[in-house]
Amino acid sequence: MKTKQLLILGGVFVFLLLVVLIFENPFGKSEHEKKVETATPLFPNFDKEQVAKIEIIAIDGTTTLSKQEGTWIVTSMDNYPADSEGIAELLTKVGEFKNTQRVSNNPEKQAEFEVDSTGVEAKLMDENDKLLAHLFVGKTTPGFLSSYVRPADANDVYVAQGYLQSVFNKSTRTWKDRTIFDFNKENVTELNISSPEETVELRLDTNRIWQMLKPEASTVKTTEVDTLLTTFSGLNTDDFAEATDALSDYGLDTPQSVISAVLNDGTTATLYIGKEEEGKLYVKRDDKETIFRLFKSNVDRLIKKSDTLKAEGPAPAVETE
């Protein structure tokens, strides 16, 4: 009797197993996996290393970027150095576009997805102006985690990961490199801050400890100086000022404040602070013509007062380097 029951149970088990194998397909590939395996790039012959020119056409204007001697510049903005990190991100995105999720091939729906002249058009070319990729970047999907893209020579519209309009169109931020200073803070040996209220002088002593010499001899808060140097050594602009021939237009003919760092190779990084307009101050490097704009809060992180930097304790016997 028990043998018969075991046989019946065994038969039921085999039957259920077959059902699972047939309907669940646990050892096979899902439709999604099959699509991923068969996905091909939207631009199969695209090689980002060959790109030497990028033209971005948006509602607010056309920007041309070109690579000259290995360095990207904004050709349409007086050959100003370009945002190399932003360009690298754009090139990577184009190489990653796949045909996995097509949402439309109806040309009448291109305006709905903003993959026509209402979106952002991008042309990527080699050094001979040969097109390597030509596409339209549209609006974000309803979930805001993806965007619509369309190859310019096709009606097919696809979904691609990311908020892509900001990758391809910098708008008022422009494609200019936003770097003001980029140096190693560990190489700074002197720091001078001049403001309408006082002059602060800091020096690194022989034990590589920061000391204040002016307005009075004092030990300093290491964390405060380190934070200031971190900000100064990697300073980026919040905006660019419109070109003008007169520094007085920005209050930079007689700067209200100045911060200067002396590095161990003898070079100096100096920033002039001009007047404030609409919550931003005009600033300028002493060795460059470009006028930048910084939010007041970012300027305040640089122009520190002695009371903020000074530590409690007896004045040191300073032996500077």
Side-chain angles (χ1 to χ4, degrees):
M1 186 69 178
K2 289 183 177 180
T3 302
K4 185 177 180 180
Q5 289 177 335
L6 289 173
L7 289 172
I8 294 172
L9 290 173
V12 171
F13 175 77
V14 171
F15 174 75
L16 293 174
L17 181 61
L18 288 172
V19 171
V20 170
L21 291 174
I22 292 171
F23 291 99
E24 297 297 331
N25 188 26
F27 304 111
K29 292 181 173 61
S30 67
E31 289 302 313
H32 174 72
E33 290 173 323
K34 290 177 181 178
K35 284 184 179 180
V36 171
E37 283 190 355
T38 58
T40 58
L42 288 188
F43 306 99
N45 298 319
F46 178 76
D47 180 0
K48 65 181 181 181
E49 299 301 327
Q50 294 183 9
V51 179
K53 183 178 179 181
I54 303 172
E55 189 174 279
I56 299 170
I57 305 165
I59 294 176
D60 53 0
T62 298
T63 300
T64 304
L65 309 167
S66 62
K67 194 175 185 180
Q68 298 185 4
E69 298 181 354
T71 301
W72 283 97
I73 61 173
V74 189
T75 316
S76 55
M77 293 183 174
D78 299 323
N79 294 333
Y80 194 88
D83 177 5
S84 57
E85 291 184 3
I87 292 174
E89 182 183 13
L90 183 154
L91 295 176
T92 298
K93 287 291 185 183
V94 173
E96 292 175 345
F97 290 154
K98 298 289 193 301
N99 63 352
T100 50
Q101 193 174 348
R102 191 180 71 173
V103 294
S104 174
N105 66 348
N106 185 349
E108 295 181 359
K109 289 190 174 183
Q110 290 177 10
E112 176 184 339
F113 297 112
E114 296 181 10
V115 288
D116 57 0
S117 60
T118 61
V120 179
E121 182 180 2
K123 299 178 182 179
L124 290 79
M125 296 159 272
D126 65 12
E127 58 184 6
N128 298 314
D129 286 345
K130 177 185 175 182
L131 269 176
L132 303 175
H134 185 189
L135 66 146
F136 288 87
V137 177
K139 67 181 182 181
T140 56
T141 61
F144 297 102
L145 298 177
S146 304
S147 304
Y148 299 109
V149 297
R150 178 178 68 86
D153 60 354
N155 292 321
D156 297 314
V157 179
Y158 299 93
V159 171
Q161 293 298 311
Y163 179 55
L164 297 177
Q165 287 223 357
S166 66
V167 174
F168 284 79
N169 181 23
K170 301 302 180 183
S171 189
T172 56
R173 284 182 60 85
T174 79
W175 277 94
K176 289 182 178 180
D177 183 358
R178 304 181 78 80
T179 302
I180 299 179
F181 286 113
D182 183 16
F183 57 86
N184 188 345
K185 68 178 183 180
E186 301 299 329
N187 293 336
V188 178
T189 59
E190 301 179 21
L191 192 60
N192 302 295
I193 305 170
S194 174
S195 67
E197 295 80 18
E198 62 181 357
T199 296
V200 178
E201 292 184 9
L202 304 177
R203 298 290 184 276
L204 202 62
D205 67 17
T206 54
N207 296 315
R208 295 197 59 79
I209 298 174
W210 283 100
Q211 309 288 353
M212 183 185 295
L213 302 185
K214 289 184 179 181
E216 60 181 285
S218 170
T219 56
V220 298
K221 298 174 184 175
T222 303
T223 54
E224 287 284 349
V225 176
D226 186 68
T227 299
L228 189 160
L229 288 174
T230 298
T231 300
F232 193 27
S233 62
L235 189 62
N236 291 330
T237 187
D238 294 312
D239 201 357
F240 292 91
E242 294 183 2
T244 183
D245 294 330
L247 291 178
S248 58
D249 292 344
Y250 306 114
L252 289 166
D253 52 336
T254 54
Q256 65 173 8
S257 299
V258 180
I259 179 170
S260 179
V262 179
L263 280 64
N264 54 16
D265 62 357
T267 59
T268 303
T270 300
L271 186 72
Y272 298 140
I273 315 295
K275 68 180 182 180
E276 179 183 350
E277 282 187 356
E278 299 176 345
K280 295 178 184 176
L281 285 86
Y282 295 104
V283 302
K284 177 186 176 299
R285 288 177 51 151
D286 68 327
D287 58 346
K288 301 288 184 181
E289 297 301 320
T290 306
I291 311 296
F292 305 99
R293 299 188 70 189
L294 290 177
F295 284 112
K296 185 178 184 304
S297 58
N298 288 329
V299 172
D300 290 341
R301 294 167 64 192
L302 296 171
I303 309 301
K304 293 287 188 180
K305 300 297 187 291
S306 59
D307 289 345
T308 302
L309 297 169
K310 184 170 59 176
E312 299 297 330
V318 180
E319 295 183 15
T320 57
E321 292 186 330

